[in-house]
Amino acid sequence: MRYGLPRSPSPPLVRRQPRRTSGFGLLSDSESEPEEPLSDADRTPSSPSSLSDSVCFESDGECPAISPSTRRPPRSPSERRHVEETVAAIRLRTRHHDPYEEWEKQTRKDALRTARRDHADILLETREQRARGRDLDLKLLAAKHEQQMVEVQMLLSTLKLKQQSDLNQLRVQWNEQDRLQHERIERGIRIEEENHRKKLEAERKKREEEERQMKLEEERRLAEEEKKRHEEEQRRKQKEAEEAAQRARDEAEREKRASLAAAEKRKNILGITPPDDDWVYARQVLKNLKAGPMRIVKADGAFKPQWNAIRRQITPKIGQLTQDQATIMRITNQILELVHPQHALPQPLYLASLSSLAKAILLQAETEVTAEKKSAIPLALVTANLLERLPVFSDVFFAKLVQRSGGWPVPCVIPSTDVGDAQWEEVARKKAMGYRVSNGEQESMGDYVTRISGIMRVYFLVLVASVAKPLDNMFRLPRYWTYFSRMLNDERLLSTAVAAQLLYTALDVGGMEAKHVWGKQWVKLLELLYEAATVGIGGKSSTLLGGQTPEGKAACVRVQLEIENIVRSP
């Protein structure tokens, strides 16, 4: 505990005898307390420097004068009494002797000595017990070893007898096998000789039969030649008549094909094609891509390293996309330099690079767009720029889109047979429908709907994107109208949860833009869709848009709300 006392004014420096103090900085017991109040000079504590100095001044004239303002005022009686009581308490504390503490210290020492003695006895007893245990274990082990030795000797004797018996038995078997083998060889030689004799006899009979057949064949040939001449004359006359009829049929067929081609050309110009034809076209492009360029590049030792290098550079660039327009143009130009440089890549390598580029875009859509819808905008802008500037990329991208999403980009129901009327295998059909199959297990419906929705959001954004020149028919704005009309014409599609979610995604992306383009016609189409979501598909209350699954019901409600927002907007 510290005590703060006011500082008194410093007296003139005078050499004084040092006072004896105790170990705690107090006066010794031999010194008596001053009975009279100390003067200011006596009360002033000496500074550390003054105690250590050996030179002091006797008078004020020998030292510099001290300003009166620095002198300490005298202590009051209460302060002096407080100091004296404090000093007395400290002195009493230093002289106090506690018998209980002395007894406690002695008790601890006695307990420690007793514990050490008991511990030494216990260690000695433990060592003796361990020694007796080791001796007993050694005796038991020696007896066990002796018993095991006897057993091993008996076992070796038994094995030796058994080995000798087995050797004798093997000798008998070997002799019997040698005898049987000799008999089998002799029997085989006799059979071969008999077969050879029969073969010679058969060849002789065959030659005789062939000679007889040759005679008959010659007679038959002469008769057939005569018959052929007659038939040839008949065929010539009949062919002339058929050719005349065929020319008439060909002329009619050419006229029919010309009319169909003109109608098909008009449909292509307007973007009107059957949904199944679009799916077949995309499927055929995919098969040709895998069977042609992809197989060539993977098998060619020169193309494959270049293709791998292009793939490794495409993936991080697609993943660096942001909303910044400058970043979008920069990444677009970098991808164009990779895939379509000034010195054109060989055709197989170029098509394989386009396939890898399309796959990277779709994988990015599956991962990023499902987590954040806004990330689809820069991805769709880059895709539109590449579709505008890369030759053949539109066909490759749509084929890969159908591969990853099934028939939903068309939209259409996957047919019962593959291209070329090939029968589906179960796993191949699931993949063609856009499902992911891993270790024989198909992904859940929720994951499937979310992934397809992310991919199709990018596709719908490409349809409504602003480009410098028109894209392929598959990626133009009229395709947006075609998508809704095809979906409304197929009740099988409307009754699925995927269709409801994709319709909501399409309305969220381009519903307002479509209203500005097609006006009242678009509102009429939305009325049909709203009826399917509220009343039922085709007016049937039992079948609503999206079906009865939880995903379908949620998507149906979202479609209703989105249609209401579009119709109410100016």
Side-chain angles (χ1 to χ4, degrees):
M1 183 174 183
R2 296 182 180 178
Y3 296 88
L5 301 177
R7 182 179 179 87
S8 61
S10 299
L13 296 177
V14 179
R15 180 185 298 276
R16 299 179 60 188
Q17 294 295 329
R19 301 179 65 181
R20 291 176 295 150
T21 60
S22 64
F24 294 88
L26 303 175
L27 295 175
S28 64
D29 297 336
S30 62
E31 292 182 5
S32 60
E33 294 294 330
E35 297 180 357
E36 296 180 359
L38 297 175
S39 63
D40 294 341
D42 295 332
R43 286 196 302 267
T44 306
S46 59
S47 63
S49 61
S50 64
L51 293 177
S52 61
D53 291 343
S54 61
V55 178
C56 298
F57 298 95
E58 293 292 338
S59 64
D60 295 340
E62 298 180 6
C63 64
I66 300 175
S67 173
S69 61
T70 61
R71 296 185 180 275
R72 181 182 300 173
R75 295 190 183 95
S76 63
S78 62
E79 291 177 348
R80 288 198 300 273
R81 185 168 56 254
H82 181 68
V83 172
E84 291 171 359
E85 290 176 355
T86 303
V87 172
I90 295 173
R91 185 175 293 148
L92 180 62
R93 175 65 179 169
T94 57
R95 295 174 181 176
H96 178 70
H97 177 72
D98 191 351
Y100 177 79
E101 291 180 356
E102 292 295 330
W103 174 84
E104 186 178 8
K105 291 180 181 178
Q106 187 62 35
T107 303
R108 290 177 180 172
K109 291 180 182 179
D110 296 341
L112 181 61
R113 283 195 297 272
T114 303
R116 287 178 176 174
R117 185 171 57 255
D118 293 343
H119 181 65
D121 295 341
I122 292 172
L123 287 178
L124 181 60
E125 184 178 356
T126 302
R127 292 193 185 97
E128 291 176 356
Q129 290 178 356
R130 289 179 179 174
R132 289 194 297 271
R134 282 196 297 272
D135 294 340
L136 181 60
D137 291 341
L138 290 174
K139 291 179 181 179
L140 294 175
L141 184 61
K144 186 176 181 180
H145 285 176
E146 184 176 357
Q147 181 181 359
Q148 290 177 349
M149 183 64 71
V150 173
E151 292 176 355
V152 169
Q153 292 294 339
M154 294 176 64
L155 180 62
L156 290 175
S157 301
T158 305
L159 292 176
K160 186 174 181 180
L161 292 174
K162 186 176 182 302
Q163 183 182 13
Q164 187 64 33
S165 176
D166 292 343
L167 288 175
N168 295 334
Q169 186 177 359
L170 287 174
R171 288 194 185 95
V172 173
Q173 292 178 356
W174 289 339
N175 293 333
E176 181 66 19
Q177 288 178 1
D178 288 342
R179 185 182 63 77
L180 294 175
Q181 186 175 5
H182 283 298
E183 291 179 356
R184 187 166 55 252
I185 292 172
E186 292 293 334
R187 186 168 56 253
I189 292 172
R190 288 194 299 270
I191 291 172
E192 287 294 331
E193 291 177 349
E194 183 67 20
N195 290 338
H196 183 66
R197 185 183 62 77
K198 291 179 179 180
K199 184 178 179 181
L200 293 177
E201 183 66 20
E203 290 178 353
R204 183 183 64 77
K205 292 180 178 180
K206 183 179 179 181
R207 283 195 301 272
E208 293 176 354
E209 183 66 21
E210 287 178 354
E211 291 176 355
R212 187 176 64 82
Q213 290 291 337
M214 287 177 63
K215 293 179 181 179
L216 295 175
E217 187 67 26
E218 182 68 20
E219 296 174 357
R220 190 182 302 111
R221 184 178 62 80
L222 295 174
E224 287 180 354
E225 287 180 356
E226 183 64 26
K227 184 179 179 180
K228 283 181 180 180
R229 282 194 296 270
H230 180 70
E231 290 176 352
E232 187 69 26
E233 183 67 21
Q234 294 293 331
R235 281 196 299 271
R236 184 179 62 79
K237 294 178 180 180
Q238 184 178 359
K239 185 177 179 181
E240 290 177 355
E242 290 177 354
E243 287 178 353
Q246 185 65 32
R247 282 193 296 271
R249 286 195 299 268
D250 290 343
E251 185 65 24
E253 186 68 23
R254 275 196 301 273
E255 293 177 357
K256 183 179 179 180
R257 281 199 301 267
S259 62
L260 292 176
E264 186 70 21
K265 185 176 181 181
R266 287 194 299 270
K267 288 183 179 180
N268 291 334
I269 293 174
L270 297 175
I272 303 173
T273 54
D276 293 340
D277 290 353
D278 290 345
W279 182 85
V280 170
Y281 177 74
R283 184 75 177 171
Q284 191 63 51
V285 170
L286 182 65
K287 285 182 172 292
N288 294 338
L289 187 65
K290 288 184 176 181
M294 296 301 297
R295 178 176 294 181
I296 293 173
V297 169
K298 290 180 180 179
D300 195 302
F303 287 162
K304 189 173 182 180
Q306 300 180 46
W307 176 56
N308 289 331
I310 292 173
R311 283 196 307 162
R312 286 192 295 269
Q313 295 181 64
I314 287 175
T315 302
K317 295 183 187 303
I318 295 297
Q320 295 170 2
L321 284 172
T322 61
Q323 298 283 350
D324 184 25
Q325 186 65 29
T327 303
I328 293 173
M329 294 307 300
R330 176 176 58 81
I331 291 178
T332 300
N333 293 329
Q334 290 176 355
I335 294 176
L336 287 172
E337 291 176 0
L338 281 174
V339 179
H340 195 57
Q342 293 181 353
H343 299 288
L345 298 175
Q347 186 72 8
L349 181 58
Y350 174 69
L351 293 176
S353 302
L354 292 182
S355 176
S356 300
L357 174 59
K359 182 178 180 181
I361 293 172
L362 296 175
L363 288 176
Q364 186 72 10
E366 290 181 359
T367 55
E368 293 293 334
V369 178
T370 54
E372 178 57 44
K373 294 191 293 186
K374 293 181 179 179
S375 60
I377 297 175
L379 188 61
L381 292 177
V382 170
T383 305
N385 293 335
L386 295 174
L387 289 170
E388 179 184 354
R389 301 169 65 180
L390 284 176
V392 196
F393 185 51
S394 58
D395 292 338
V396 175
F397 183 76
F398 191 75
K400 298 295 287 185
L401 181 64
V402 170
Q403 179 190 17
R404 306 289 298 187
S405 307
W408 294 111
V410 176
C412 70
V413 178
I414 301 300
S416 58
T417 57
D418 196 358
V419 177
D421 295 332
Q423 293 297 324
W424 289 107
E425 295 181 359
E426 184 63 24
V427 177
R429 181 175 173 80
K430 291 294 183 182
K431 289 184 178 180
M433 294 173 67
Y435 285 98
R436 284 183 175 176
V437 180
S438 178
N439 298 327
E441 295 183 359
Q442 180 180 305
E443 63 180 332
S444 64
M445 178 56 67
D447 294 340
Y448 178 72
V449 171
T450 303
R451 184 171 59 83
I452 299 300
S453 176
I455 295 175
M456 291 303 295
R457 180 173 289 274
V458 175
Y459 176 63
F460 293 136
L461 284 169
V462 172
L463 294 182
V464 299
S466 177
V467 292
K469 61 181 181 179
L471 302 179
D472 188 77
N473 289 334
M474 294 294 183
F475 301 96
R476 293 181 183 178
L477 183 59
R479 192 75 181 180
Y480 189 81
W481 177 280
T482 303
Y483 192 87
F484 276 84
S485 62
R486 286 179 176 178
M487 192 75 80
L488 289 172
N489 285 331
D490 197 332
E491 295 184 1
R492 295 172 298 174
L493 296 177
L494 291 177
S495 60
T496 61
V498 186
Q501 180 63 31
L502 294 184
L503 288 173
Y504 161 71
T505 303
L507 291 173
D508 183 42
V509 170
M512 298 300 298
E513 179 70 18
K515 183 180 179 182
H516 295 154
V517 174
W518 291 296
K520 294 182 179 180
Q521 297 298 323
W522 176 249
V523 174
K524 292 180 181 180
L525 188 144
L526 292 183
E527 289 176 356
L528 294 175
L529 183 58
Y530 192 79
E531 181 182 354
T534 54
V535 178
I537 302 173
K540 302 174 184 177
S541 58
S542 59
T543 307
L544 289 175
L545 175 66
Q548 300 300 321
T549 62
E551 296 87 356
K553 292 180 179 179
C556 181
V557 174
R558 285 193 287 267
V559 170
Q560 296 176 31
L561 297 176
E562 192 64 30
I563 292 175
E564 292 172 0
N565 292 334
I566 294 172
V567 173
R568 283 198 301 264
S569 64

